[in-house]
Amino acid sequence: MQDILLIKYGELALKGDNRSFFENRLMKNIKNALNEINDVKIEKTHGRIYVECSDNTDYVIEKLKRVFGIVGITLAKKVDLNIEDIYEASINIMKQYKDKSFKVETRRPNKTFPYESMEISRKVGAEILSNVDNLHVDVHNPDVLLNIEIREMAYLYTDVIDGIGGMPVGTNGKATVLLSGGIDSPVAAWMMMKRGAEVNAVYFHSHPYTSERAKNKVIELCRVLSQYGQKIDLNIVNFTEFQLAIYDKCPPKMTTIIMRRMMMRIAENIARKTSSMALVTGESLGQVASQTIESIYCTNAAASMPVFRPLIGMDKSEIMGLAKKIGTYEISIRPYEDCCTIFVPKHPVIKPVLEEIEEIERNFNYQNYIDNISIDVQSIK
């Protein structure tokens, strides 16, 4: 009998002929997540991935809980494929439970095993009742569910630890996220990663109006997000001169929306250079003046590649809850201003008209600024 971690994945199993592509990427991501741990063996069979580790099991599980594509992790007993060994393992597992009801459920992907699923459950249940005191059967609402999987070996387990689900990072293209250092944009990046996108980040730095601590906060956010399956490259744009020019040359109430449009143009240039095919923002509909439908329409018009806003239908409390869950919240709330919160006009336009915005921009030679900025980007890998 051997302890082994059994990895479950959900929607990957529905990928038909493409299934192996997603499974192989998940295997690669699991290996990357565990590469610092000695004596770990990872193996894939049809429908399952197994992880063997000599020690540090709890640490390995914590690492696996951050790998997208995994819906469940269970510590299982692996035994030879004969009914007597299954009896013995089942009895040993159930001896830890006292005064509980239980049920046995069996899956039998390996049809060469001589007993069918219902028959195995029935036989094992009878052996448990004969050898373990103070247990009784409840097939409708059991306290303990003993699972038996008949594969190339037999696997037995009772508890399943939830994974974070989603798709393996790297299976759904590459996108560039505009990362401000606030609460929302790191969550947006995480949600894109959860759907399998590989992401890199762009941060707009306006020194000395934004501090080195604000920049370091973004670097730390990238480090936290990197724990979810990929190292995130950060591109830092020196935005000060351009931002001052925007506020010097444009009507105050229009400066926020024009700044957002310029950020989109710069981010798109960086995205194309880094093989990204989409931009990602942390906007939530109606949260601030730049996030009304009219403002988002004007912002979108400045970009030619798709712009994804995974938080668009979430309210602030939902976003904060998710930020706490993924470990970015405490970093994001540090009181260091980013470039989006400085020079904010008292009365920003909430229903901008694209034609008016474009007319203002025609009188502002912004392309020179964009060209100069695009060749002076600091990249942190």
Side-chain angles (χ1 to χ4, degrees):
M1 192 182 330
Q2 177 187 2
D3 289 339
I4 192 168
L5 291 173
L6 190 153
I7 307 299
K8 297 186 172 189
Y9 41 94
E11 60 185 298
L12 274 62
L14 306 176
K15 294 299 180 185
D17 292 342
N18 296 319
R19 176 172 171 166
S20 61
F21 164 73
F22 291 91
E23 289 179 336
N24 291 338
R25 184 65 196 216
L26 180 58
M27 279 284 288
K28 179 180 178 181
N29 292 349
I30 290 173
K31 289 177 180 176
N32 288 339
L34 304 181
N35 64 0
E36 66 181 37
I37 304 172
N38 295 325
D39 299 325
V40 173
K41 180 181 177 183
I42 305 166
E43 183 181 11
K44 177 170 73 74
T45 64
H46 186 73
R48 286 285 184 268
I49 292 175
Y50 305 100
V51 177
E52 295 180 31
C53 50
S54 56
D55 53 18
N56 293 323
T57 302
D58 291 341
Y59 183 62
V60 169
I61 290 173
E62 286 304 310
K63 287 281 188 180
L64 293 173
K65 286 167 69 176
R66 292 174 179 263
V67 177
F68 291 117
I70 295 177
V71 299
I73 308 151
T74 187
L75 183 59
K77 297 292 184 185
K78 174 183 173 183
V79 301
D80 290 337
L81 207 54
N82 68 72
I83 196 67
E84 295 299 329
D85 283 357
I86 293 172
Y87 289 159
E88 181 183 356
S90 299
I91 292 166
N92 285 335
I93 290 173
M94 296 307 295
K95 280 182 177 177
Q96 66 182 301
Y97 300 103
K98 302 294 183 185
D99 300 319
K100 299 288 186 182
S101 62
F102 77 98
K103 177 184 178 182
V104 180
E105 280 191 357
T106 304
R107 296 182 63 208
R108 192 178 66 117
N110 182 355
K111 303 302 182 188
T112 65
F113 194 68
Y115 304 102
E116 295 186 352
S117 298
M118 290 291 290
E119 189 177 8
I120 297 169
S121 296
R122 201 162 49 244
K123 284 175 171 290
V124 171
E127 287 293 320
I128 292 171
L129 287 173
S130 298
N131 291 278
V132 184
D133 295 332
N134 302 317
L135 293 179
H136 63 278
V137 173
D138 183 341
V139 297
H140 299 294
N141 189 27
D143 297 319
V144 182
L145 178 63
L146 175 62
N147 294 276
I148 302 174
E149 295 190 9
I150 304 296
R151 297 178 181 272
E152 74 290 348
M153 300 284 282
Y155 301 88
L156 299 88
Y157 57 91
T158 55
D159 299 317
V160 179
I161 300 165
D162 290 338
I164 51 175
M167 306 287 288
V169 171
T171 56
N172 271 322
K174 188 173 183 179
T176 295
V177 58
L178 284 74
L179 199 62
S180 69
I183 295 171
D184 300 348
S185 54
V187 177
W190 185 88
M191 291 184 70
M192 291 299 293
M193 294 168 69
K194 185 177 182 182
R195 294 313 301 163
E198 183 180 350
V199 304
N200 59 24
V202 176
Y203 168 64
F204 293 87
H205 188 50
S206 290
H207 183 77
Y209 302 99
T210 56
S211 67
E212 285 298 303
R213 289 185 295 187
K215 183 171 74 175
N216 290 335
K217 185 171 76 167
V218 175
I219 295 171
E220 194 168 348
L221 286 168
C222 287
R223 181 187 59 76
V224 172
L225 292 171
S226 296
Q227 296 173 5
Y228 289 92
Q230 62 143 126
K231 190 175 179 182
I232 295 177
D233 295 340
L234 175 63
N235 300 280
I236 299 175
V237 175
N238 185 357
F239 199 47
T240 311
E241 184 181 356
F242 196 8
Q243 191 170 16
L244 290 173
I246 292 170
Y247 286 95
D248 181 52
K249 299 177 184 299
C250 301
K253 69 176 183 178
M254 300 290 192
T255 51
T256 299
I257 195 70
I258 291 174
M259 182 186 71
R260 296 288 299 168
R261 283 167 55 83
M262 298 305 167
M263 286 177 165
M264 286 290 183
R265 291 177 171 120
I266 295 166
E268 184 165 348
N269 283 348
I270 293 171
R272 294 192 186 284
K273 290 178 180 177
T274 55
S275 303
S276 287
M277 301 180 72
L279 301 177
V280 181
T281 74
E283 292 163 313
S284 167
L285 188 60
Q287 188 178 113
V288 293
S290 65
Q291 297 175 21
T292 63
I293 286 182
E294 292 86 350
S295 295
I296 290 172
Y297 174 78
C298 290
T299 304
N300 262 22
S304 60
M305 62 172 50
V307 180
F308 295 118
R309 297 176 172 85
L311 312 185
I312 196 69
M314 299 175 67
D315 62 33
K316 196 66 180 183
S317 63
E318 292 173 313
I319 299 169
M320 290 168 60
L322 190 47
K324 291 174 182 176
K325 176 183 174 182
I326 67 177
T328 57
Y329 180 79
E330 295 298 330
I331 302 170
S332 291
I333 62 172
R334 292 174 188 168
Y336 312 134
E337 287 191 310
D338 59 63
C339 71
C340 295
T341 58
I342 58 175
F343 307 128
V344 176
K346 287 186 178 179
H347 303 291
V349 63
I350 59 174
K351 294 185 177 182
V353 176
L354 180 60
E355 291 74 15
E356 294 178 2
I357 297 292
E358 290 175 337
E359 179 63 27
I360 294 169
E361 290 180 352
R362 272 192 286 273
N363 296 318
F364 172 31
N365 187 15
Y366 63 81
Q367 192 60 48
N368 283 343
Y369 289 99
I370 291 177
D371 293 341
N372 290 334
I373 280 177
S374 297
I375 61 175
D376 188 26
V377 175
Q378 179 189 2
S379 181
I380 299 178
K381 297 183 180 297

